[in-house]
Amino acid sequence: MTQRDSNVTQAEMPSAGGVPLGPLSGYRAIELCSTVAGPACARLLADFGADVIKVEPPAGDPLRSMGRHKDDVSLYAATILRNKRAITIDLKKPDGVKLVRTLALKSDLLVENYRPGVMERLGLGYEDLSKENPGLVMVRISGYGQTGPYSKRPGYGAICEAVAGVRHLTGDPDRPPARVALATTDYLTSVYAAFGAVTALLARNRTGRGQVVDAALYEAAFAQMEAYVPAYETTGFIPNRVGPNLPNMAPNSLYPTKDGGYVLIAANSDATFKRLIEVMGQPELINDPLMSSIRTRGSNIPYCNSVVSAWTMQHDGIAIEQMLLVAEVPVSRVYTMPDIFADPHFAARDMLPRVPHPQLGELVHPGVVPKLSDTPGRIVHSGPDLGQDTRQVLSDDLGLSASEIADLFERQVVFEKPAEA
């Protein structure tokens, strides 16, 4: 069944054990994705109640080999595939494509991140599917979008950051462009894609028709350049790497501490700066012509940072935090993972929930984001094994008989465990 009626109150929403299933309960999504951006988008949908069926090739999504493993369990797959069902279908076989097509025709959403043109070659393009399922919303995630001269290029998040100008701004000015050790552009694109999916479903409530959500990695990265686009066109300003500093603003940087760590201090207003220098025991700095206003401090960042660093190096990071927080100056030590696990705020906000896992007993996940007051998302289960739900989906969702299912397995159109190497 697909979700067609949006006029459902919270009190009427389906529940399990008295717990609402989520605002996207009743919507079915097919995930034809690999690595990060697509699976992260579908995970957002699943966290808020959508029934997400992840379709994988016989060898599995490459993300199952990414990150750390415990007892041959991919810890990354266990989190990014949470709340989903997993089936394994060989799309190189016509009957495999037919199965996916049948699932798509019974679904509200199809999330895919193949290179543009692949879905059309498989006979799974939007124009084709929407003829029989006009309400289908197809979320298409790619490096450069579905149109334009670069559309057929292969694109990963890191590559698209370079094209978008983001990589040029990452790192220190006297060193080559650096990278963040995270798939930041993939995750940013996944949020835009999920936002587009939900927006398209809202539009469908009025029109009855679905549409294509075209989410490009390079455009998600480029969206962060908002401040610099008009500045370049109007003034010719070309931004460059500034390291840990905030352009035209000081003190707002990383400062070394006595115990060998760093604190980030952001005194972005005159009032906050006055509170900072009071804690530093140097209130007279407000009369320093190089530090007397936001504009003068922003024009003398190295000098301002040197003064603050001289003070921070006299104290341990925790002590600096305590002093500045009392004075309401934004500050934080630079956390490591042990700091995060020990921090009471992460626990209070349920950002490190423990989720049962069939092999590992339990596994800590990153919590659900964002927090909704009336219809919160939740984690029902960790990510499934490859092909774990193949038989159930074929039977319950597609209505195939036991003999039909057995035939598909025998012909290796579908699988319920990793294919033999």
Side-chain angles (χ1 to χ4, degrees):
M1 292 181 63
T2 57
Q3 177 69 274
R4 292 288 183 262
D5 184 7
S6 65
N7 299 315
V8 179
T9 67
Q10 172 64 14
E12 297 169 334
M13 287 187 67
S15 63
V19 179
L21 294 182
L24 296 180
S25 175
Y27 291 98
R28 175 187 287 149
I30 307 302
E31 179 193 318
L32 287 169
C33 301
S34 64
T35 58
V36 181
C41 168
R43 193 257 296 154
L44 282 169
L45 302 174
D47 279 355
F48 288 92
D51 175 20
V52 176
I53 301 174
K54 180 175 179 62
V55 180
E56 295 180 77
D61 187 330
L63 70 81
R64 291 186 181 273
S65 299
M66 297 166 60
R68 299 284 180 171
H69 287 64
K70 170 71 173 178
D71 298 337
D72 206 32
V73 174
S74 168
L75 303 178
Y76 197 4
T79 57
I80 200 171
L81 301 184
R82 72 189 186 200
N83 294 338
K84 304 176 186 179
R85 294 189 282 166
I87 65 174
T88 306
I89 300 177
D90 189 350
L91 290 180
K92 294 180 179 179
K93 297 182 178 179
D95 283 347
V97 175
K98 183 178 178 181
L99 289 172
V100 172
R101 179 184 178 85
T102 303
L103 279 172
L105 296 179
K106 293 174 173 283
S107 300
D108 301 278
L109 292 153
L110 191 156
V111 184
E112 64 92 8
N113 66 352
Y114 286 108
R115 200 180 304 185
V118 172
M119 292 291 285
E120 284 72 17
R121 290 199 297 272
L122 290 171
L124 299 173
Y126 177 75
E127 294 300 326
D128 188 26
L129 294 176
S130 65
K131 291 176 183 177
E132 295 185 60
N133 183 2
L136 180 68
V137 172
M138 181 179 283
V139 180
R140 314 197 70 172
I141 300 172
S142 63
Y144 300 93
Q146 300 299 309
T147 59
Y150 297 167
S151 61
K152 297 299 193 293
R153 287 185 179 183
Y156 285 98
I159 302 297
C160 292
E161 287 170 10
V163 172
V166 172
R167 186 56 66 88
H168 175 68
L169 298 182
T170 307
D172 293 308
D174 58 344
R175 297 183 182 183
R179 72 178 299 162
V180 179
L182 297 168
T184 52
T185 291
D186 291 277
Y187 278 97
L188 181 59
T189 306
S190 77
V191 175
Y192 277 116
F195 173 74
V198 174
T199 302
L201 290 175
L202 289 173
R204 191 183 73 176
N205 291 335
R206 297 193 301 270
T207 67
R209 293 196 59 82
Q211 58 184 295
V212 173
V213 177
D214 184 354
L217 294 168
Y218 93 97
E219 289 171 355
F222 182 65
Q224 301 173 91
M225 305 283 283
E226 186 168 10
Y228 299 124
V229 173
Y232 172 71
E233 195 276 335
T234 303
T235 70
F237 174 72
I238 300 175
N240 200 358
R241 294 180 293 286
V242 295
N245 302 314
L246 180 65
N248 305 313
M249 185 68 68
N252 188 312
S253 189
L254 290 175
Y255 302 96
T257 62
K258 182 179 179 181
D259 52 358
Y262 291 89
V263 290
L264 202 151
I265 299 172
N268 291 354
S269 69
D270 285 334
T272 306
F273 178 69
K274 288 178 182 179
R275 294 197 296 272
L276 169 64
I277 59 178
E278 287 284 349
V279 174
M280 291 169 57
Q282 302 176 63
E284 70 279 1
L285 288 174
I286 197 62
N287 298 317
D288 187 325
L290 300 182
M291 303 181 73
S292 59
S293 70
I294 293 175
R295 184 168 295 183
T296 58
R297 291 191 296 274
S299 299
N300 296 281
I301 291 176
Y303 172 72
C304 185
N305 284 343
S306 68
V307 172
V308 177
S309 293
W311 175 74
T312 60
M313 285 190 292
Q314 300 174 38
H315 306 279
D316 290 343
I318 292 178
I320 294 170
E321 270 190 342
Q322 292 172 342
M323 288 187 285
L324 294 186
L325 288 174
V326 169
E328 298 187 352
V329 175
V331 62
S332 175
R333 287 168 291 137
V334 177
Y335 275 31
T336 63
M337 197 57 71
D339 295 319
I340 290 170
F341 270 70
D343 191 285
H345 191 77
F346 282 83
R349 295 278 296 173
D350 198 27
M351 285 307 297
L352 295 169
R354 295 187 174 274
V355 180
H357 191 279
Q359 286 110 306
L360 303 179
E362 64 178 12
L363 191 67
V364 177
H365 284 235
V368 176
V369 180
K371 313 293 187 189
L372 272 63
S373 60
D374 289 342
T375 57
R378 63 182 183 132
I379 304 172
V380 180
H381 58 77
S382 292
D385 289 336
L386 178 63
Q388 177 177 308
D389 304 293
T390 299
R391 195 175 295 273
Q392 181 237 344
V393 171
L394 295 176
S395 174
D396 297 352
D397 295 79
L398 295 184
L400 300 184
S401 66
S403 61
E404 289 173 316
I405 294 172
D407 176 64
L408 289 170
F409 277 108
E410 183 177 350
R411 292 189 291 115
Q412 295 190 320
V413 175
V414 299
F415 301 81
E416 55 185 344
K417 62 180 180 179
E420 296 296 330

